[in-house]
Amino acid sequence: MKTLKGVPVSSGITIGKVQIIARPKLKIRRKNIRQEQIETELQKFEKCLQAAINEIDQLISLSENIDNRNILNTHKMILRDPEFHKNINKMVAEDLLSLEMAIKNHFSSIIEIFNNIENEYFSQRSSDFEDVAYRLLSKILDKKNDKFAELQDDVILVTENITPSEVTRVFQKKIKALCTEKGSKNSHSSIIARSMNLPTLVSITGLTDNIKNGDDVIVDANEGVLIIKPDESTMHRFRPLWEYEKQERIKLAQLVDEDCITQDGRTINLMSNIEIPAELDQVLKIRSKGIGLFRTEFLFMGHKGLPDEDEQYEIYLHIAEKLYPHPVVIRTIDVGGDKLSQILNIEHELNPNLGTRGIRISLKHIPVFKTQIRAILRANRKGNIRIMFPMISTVGEIINIKNIVQQSRGELLEEGYEFEPDIAIGAMIEIPSAAITSDSIAEECNFLSIGTNDLVQYTLAVDRDNDTVEQYYIPHHPSVLRLIKMTAENCHQHGIKVAICGEMASEKKYIPLLVGLGIDEFSVSPGRLLMVKNEIRKCKYQDVRKMAEDILHYKTYIDVYTRITAKEC
Ligand code: PEP
Ligand code: MG
């Protein structure tokens, strides 16, 4: 028996047999060419390039998943990039490198640049370039490029890495879990895997060296461990947990058509958070009553350059139509100063979380911001889109933004576009200054949504991504609870709804407390939505309101913790 640690991407426990899928290694044998071979090499380049593009086009036409199509379109753009063509021509014609060597060099240097950017999102985008390079090189070296053709049903898939374009395909088979040696939590592949709600572990060091085809394994994606060839006592320990999880999933699946309502009749709107449109399938499957947070920065990050108005419009429209008549809350880009720095030419900042982040980037780059606002407005054809702004710290920003929205609306109407001009405007409350002045912000908005991931970070001065200060990251700290309460009260006083869209909303122990604090809408990851619905349905509003009132008087977070974990509603 051997236990390996990995990064959990999607929770759950499963037991089963492993199927390892390895991508055939592409060996570059020829490094150099002679002068007289230049022309043949360049002709081969054109031919293989076209074959790779045709293959991608075919995959696009077969794919029903809009995000998969977007990713594949990005891959096509990479192949059509004039800089890429120029570089290959130069390496072949001037440096006399073989075509395969030139392509390998070109992509290796891009992948290295992406890997070295001290920003997780960007470093993860290197997998898109790996994907493209592999597709093209397999054409040039005449190798088949379908590593998952042999994948069977009901196995635990083990692979070194998985590219975004492969993930959706893999999940169409009935695999039990996914384990990869590489990868990270926020890659496109991981995000799609999470939305599919199957146990997934990535970044498992030593995985491929320690496992064989057909091995029995336990995947515990709750704790982030993979147990290879478990002994009988370990099996004995995990079997009941596995059975319990299976039963829970079956039970939760029965809740899809049930209302999200407390025992004493208070309806809570329960919606989904999505990062990329690929998650839409899962959102529809669980019959989510809307999207409470669409983090649009992911569209920008997977993209080479900025997506234009039409590209954005198509994506927003597709989502709005699929969800109609339920609402779709589109949040304008929210990234740290670092994250779009390449595209927007932003200087590196020493303290990006306190720097040019979220709305500050948008207000600094008005043309980019306006493009996004125009695309969102145009997509609001049936009136079910709401627009939300991240990292608001003062009401002045909202007033400023509303003028930009108003101006964009006027321009679009003049240009003859047809859409529902009356769009609901919301602010994220994720900075203490916004929570404290949420009365003024509520006056200017149609809804507010509390982003607890950042609210906790900024209230407690604790970096949400820094493991070494994890013990200070306490969502149930009395200060955070008071800010949530204050925001909810201010919203209600102004007759608008208050939502919550941070991870706190999908943690079992916090759900009754949040209902008790007066939250009207929860927006959570689709994989957790049914669990949240189940917990809300167990609550009695009168009781949890009383509990929340008591808790607001507690002085220490330890007291809060003791109460919320001792007594479930
Ligand atoms: C939040 O801060 O809680 C939130 C939902 O936004 P993000 O996690 O995208 O910063
Ligand atoms: Mg946030």
Side-chain angles (χ1 to χ4, degrees), residues 331 334 357 430 454 464:
R331 180 180 78 179
D334 175 20
R357 210 203 124 165
E430 45 188 353
D454 279 312
R464 63 192 258 190

Side-chain angles (χ1 to χ4, degrees), residues 536-560:
I536 291 175
R537 284 169 57 86
K538 284 193 225 158
C539 291
K540 201 160 165 205
Y541 182 56
Q542 293 309 326
D543 292 350
V544 293
R545 214 173 64 168
K546 172 82 187 53
M547 174 183 76
E549 265 166 28
D550 288 352
I551 284 178
L552 282 169
H553 293 107
Y554 290 2
K555 293 198 176 98
T556 72
Y557 63 81
I558 298 168
D559 289 343
V560 176

